[in-house]
Amino acid sequence: MIYKIARTELRTLFYSPIAWLILIIFTFQTGMFFAGTIEGLARNEFLGYGNRMLTMEVFGGYYGLFLTVQQYLYLYIPLLTMGLMSREFGSGSIKLLYSSPVTNTQIVLGKYLAMLIYGLVLMFVLVIYSICGCIVIENVDVGVILTGLLGVYLLLCAYAAIGLFMSSLTSYQIVAAVGTLGVLACLTYVSRLWQSIEFVRDLTYWLGLTGRIQGFLSALISSEDVLYFVIVIVLFLVMTIIRMLSRRRKVVAIVTVGRYLGVWGVALLLGYLSSCPVLKKYWDVSEDESNTLTKGSREIVEAMNGGLTITTYVNMFDSYYRYMLPHSINHDLRRMEKYTRFKPEIKMKYVYYYANPDTASLKKRFPGATVEECVEKICEIEKMNPRKVLSPEEIKKQIDLSGENYRLVRLVERENGQKIFLRVFEDNMLFPTEAEISAAFKRLIMPLPKVGFLVGHGERDMTRMREMDYSVFSRNLYFRYALINQGFDCDTVSLKHEIPADVNILCIADMRVALSEEENANLHRYIERGGNLIICGETGRQEIMNPVVENFGVRFMPGRLVRPSENRLADLILASPTKESVKMSYHLGKMLRYREKLVMPGTVALEQVADKGFKVTTWFVSDTIGGWNELEQTDFTDMDVPVILNVQQGETEKAYPTVLALSRQHGDREQKIIIFGDADCISNGELSRNRSNMGGSNYTIIQGAFFWLSDGEVPIDMRRPVPTDNKLKVSRQGVTFINILFLGGLPGILLLWYLFIWLRRRGR
């Protein structure tokens, strides 16, 4: 009986112009988007720019075909469903159904089945584009396409169920269509309502349609999203049946309302349970598993036995406090979902307080108000309860945040009492990524490398903020790539005593005073025990630094490297990574792939002068053409003074090593040393400087160097399988054919088919 009702409804639907009009317009709009996307990507390849992750670019993500389809369905489905039941009520044919041996459930399910079949017709159009994509995209990621189709169809089914219910409420089709649009709008924006109320926010956030298919579009299927659509579909179908019951036989209004409330209660309860982290299941079908933690991160999470609590301390005077207000908590929980997927017992807490106010700013914003009154006004504006905001005295009883400058920060704490801070950073991404989170977790389960910075000889200082010093890449709390945020411990060391046993990497940067005999002896002990080193030389310091690197059979050559140019100083060298360096540290592969440079403002050339048992590998070299080792001129500040190559003085135009990596076997491990010809290239000033049109990527060498020196422990290895769907298999003629087929051919065939059916029906 359900099938018969569905067949009758489909016959009526396809005899009406609205169904054909929607199908033709849908085909034309999606075809225009698909053909335009293929044409744009093909143009990139024809121009030599290349492409990357084409399957996601064409079908998934935030700009692909399936997301565009979501926007179209929002308008089409109300037009299709508006007459499902209202047409029966308006024409009086509902009485015939009531008088026949058909139940309300059969009527509702039959009508709904008809919409599901029509939805499959729309999906068939998308399948045609998917087949075309599989043909023209090399090594297409089929998982992205299949999950995208599933997500779009589930969304269509949910829209249809809502439209069917709205159609059962009225005999006017236009009212049913507008009502459906209204319900869809409510479900789109309901996730923003009452987010400041702790329990209610979980229910309203779950109800929201916004972003529900985004996981499908990224090739991630989660049980929560699938169950959401199932629950919403069943909810509105059951409500439609209840509505039909109340129309077919007189039922007391309170009974009908009670039934509605009961159905909603069950739906919300099931939705709440489906959103619990411990009950969620995931299936990542993307080629590179981009929705899942990398293997290294998963191993770290699995090793963290016991409970884990992440407490976010939010200072109401901090510039980033709005990201963690109660109404944003569910968005914040999404940021940690990759981790709660593998460790659902993670508990997230939020503590609000005020401290360390910028009084000048407060006086300007709230003239004449005290600090406490300012907090109350901020809470009033943000719709928060000021009683939940702790005072400076109250927060000090819980935790000392002075070391974090009272900035927005998270405290990660294990059951055994181990703690570590997880910060936000002053860049466009703001929040920590998998690399920083996993590095923090790893420090809780195992000791990680400690970097000692040598002091006492005028070296670059890891604690000061001068341009020449090293505090940015070592201990800057708000620099994402600082060693302290990538898993390392940093401290100063002196060679007046033996280097502590917990120091794994010793940094010697630009000494201005030579080592004493006692200090030399302590340095030799560190080298003999197999300690790793990073040594940074500087122009004019060769005599002081050479006794250090002679231990490894290397020397800093006299003079400095130059490469005269019209637009920059002659001694500003853009060094390139070698292929050998990439084999030792994968970070440098990005620099080689994108032709990025190591900017070295005044560097000394390096050379191997003796064999001390180390394997010497060149990591970076200067340009082969136009550069040489200048032995005469020392002042390069005036660009109008030419720098002349003097072959008679031994100046030779060629490529020179600027960074060397040395290694040897020491017991059961490998001892590693990196030598830089320039100490400025990783200084505060250079890392903070924007050198346009040079392709500099100096922070990458820091990551690459310390990854190698730490034996791959940290920074966390974030490599994923390289996407292979990076090329289109289509010619210019093929692009033209796709445009003709999807902009004219396919919509034209559907139009002719409709005209044939219409004329045939009219003839009858």
Side-chain angles (χ1 to χ4, degrees), residues 215 218-220 284-286 288-293 338 341 720:
S218 302
L220 177 67
D284 187 356
V285 297
S286 60
D288 61 350
E289 295 187 331
S290 56
N291 305 294
T292 307
L293 293 177
K338 283 187 177 181
R341 170 181 171 182
R720 296 182 182 274

Side-chain angles (χ1 to χ4, degrees), residues 691-705:
R691 294 189 183 273
S692 59
N693 302 322
M694 291 188 185
S697 185
N698 288 24
Y699 69 89
T700 304
I701 183 62
I702 298 173
Q703 288 186 299

Side-chain angles (χ1 to χ4, degrees), residues 485-730:
N485 292 319
Q486 294 295 325
F488 293 90
D489 281 323
C490 301
D491 203 355
T492 57
V493 296
S494 172
L495 285 175
K496 292 182 179 179
H497 310 283
E498 191 168 339
I499 296 177
D502 62 343
V503 173
N504 310 95
I505 303 170
L506 178 64
C507 178
I508 304 176
D510 187 19
M511 292 193 310
R512 303 190 179 199
V513 179
L515 299 177
S516 65
E517 292 185 7
E518 179 187 4
E519 290 172 329
N520 257 319
N522 286 327
L523 177 60
H524 278 287
R525 291 191 189 96
Y526 176 79
I527 296 172
E528 290 303 316
R529 83 182 193 201
N532 295 341
L533 294 99
I534 181 167
I535 303 171
C536 301
E538 187 60 43
T539 56
R541 308 272 197 273
Q542 288 93 326
E543 291 185 6
I544 298 173
M545 296 296 297
N546 271 332
V548 176
V549 296
E550 284 173 359
N551 294 295
F552 317 113
V554 175
R555 76 159 182 155
F556 293 103
M557 296 177 63
R560 71 170 69 191
L561 295 181
V562 295
R563 190 179 186 276
S565 170
E566 294 181 1
N567 302 318
R568 59 177 183 263
L569 298 176
D571 63 340
L572 183 64
I573 302 300
L574 304 180
S576 303
T578 64
K579 294 182 179 179
E580 292 75 17
S581 68
V582 176
K583 299 176 183 178
M584 299 170 70
S585 183
Y586 78 93
H587 294 84
L588 306 182
K590 170 178 169 288
M591 297 185 68
L592 187 65
R593 189 181 313 117
Y594 297 108
R595 299 179 181 178
E596 294 176 339
K597 304 293 184 180
L598 175 62
V599 181
M600 309 185 80
T603 182
V604 178
L606 302 169
E607 67 174 343
Q608 183 179 6
V609 293
D611 186 356
K612 298 285 187 175
F614 288 89
K615 177 185 176 182
V616 180
T617 304
T618 300
W619 268 24
F620 282 82
V621 294
S622 61
D623 288 336
T624 305
I625 301 174
W628 65 89
N629 187 30
E630 177 64 36
L631 299 173
E632 296 180 306
Q633 191 167 334
T634 58
D635 185 5
F636 303 93
T637 56
D638 189 350
M639 296 182 63
D640 293 328
V641 177
V643 183
I644 307 300
L645 173 65
N646 190 344
V647 179
Q648 296 178 350
Q649 292 294 326
E651 297 175 356
T652 306
E653 183 180 357
K654 66 175 185 178
Y656 290 86
T658 61
V659 181
L660 295 178
L662 297 81
S663 61
R664 69 175 178 182
Q665 199 63 31
H666 187 277
D668 59 350
R669 58 177 296 275
E670 189 177 21
Q671 184 178 20
K672 301 174 180 178
I673 298 100
I674 297 180
I675 303 175
F676 284 80
D678 174 37
D680 288 327
C681 65
I682 55 176
S683 66
N684 297 343
E686 193 58 43
L687 293 176
S688 305
R689 189 170 287 116
N690 180 20
R691 294 189 183 273
S692 59
N693 302 322
M694 291 188 185
S697 185
N698 288 24
Y699 69 89
T700 304
I701 183 62
I702 298 173
Q703 288 186 299
F706 283 95
F707 178 81
W708 185 66
L709 291 171
S710 67
D711 300 324
E713 290 289 346
V714 279
I716 301 298
D717 189 346
M718 298 295 295
R719 281 176 289 182
R720 296 182 182 274
V722 178
T724 57
D725 55 338
N726 302 324
K727 188 176 181 181
L728 286 174
K729 299 182 295 183
V730 62

Side-chain angles (χ1 to χ4, degrees), residues 107-133:
I107 295 173
V108 171
L109 294 183
K111 299 277 188 178
Y112 186 65
L113 178 59
M115 290 308 304
L116 296 187
I117 295 173
Y118 185 87
L120 289 176
V121 175
L122 296 179
M123 296 304 298
F124 180 73
V125 175
L126 298 181
V127 169
I128 295 176
Y129 302 139
S130 302
I131 294 173
C132 180

Side-chain angles (χ1 to χ4, degrees), residues 12-30:
T12 304
L13 190 64
F14 277 101
Y15 278 159
S16 68
I18 186 68
W20 285 100
L21 184 62
I22 288 175
L23 181 59
I24 293 170
I25 294 176
F26 177 81
T27 304
F28 178 77
Q29 286 184 320
T30 52

Side-chain angles (χ1 to χ4, degrees), residues 36-50:
T37 302
I38 294 295
E39 182 178 15
L41 295 172
R43 186 185 298 112
N44 284 346
E45 290 199 3
F46 298 153
L47 293 173
Y49 294 118

Side-chain angles (χ1 to χ4, degrees), residues 195 198 201-202 205 275 277 280 282 310 312 323-326 328-341 346-350 410 431:
Q195 289 298 292
E198 188 167 350
R201 68 164 164 254
D202 293 331
Y205 189 80
S275 63
K280 287 185 183 180
Y282 300 86
I310 302 178
T312 305
Y323 291 100
M324 295 297 171
L325 290 178
S328 300
I329 286 179
N330 277 311
H331 292 290
D332 187 53
L333 295 177
R334 287 283 185 181
R335 297 187 186 104
M336 295 298 297
E337 191 169 12
K338 283 187 177 181
Y339 288 88
T340 54
R341 170 181 171 182
I346 292 178
K347 295 180 181 179
M348 301 288 289
K349 295 182 179 180
Y350 298 84
R410 301 187 199 269
F431 295 101

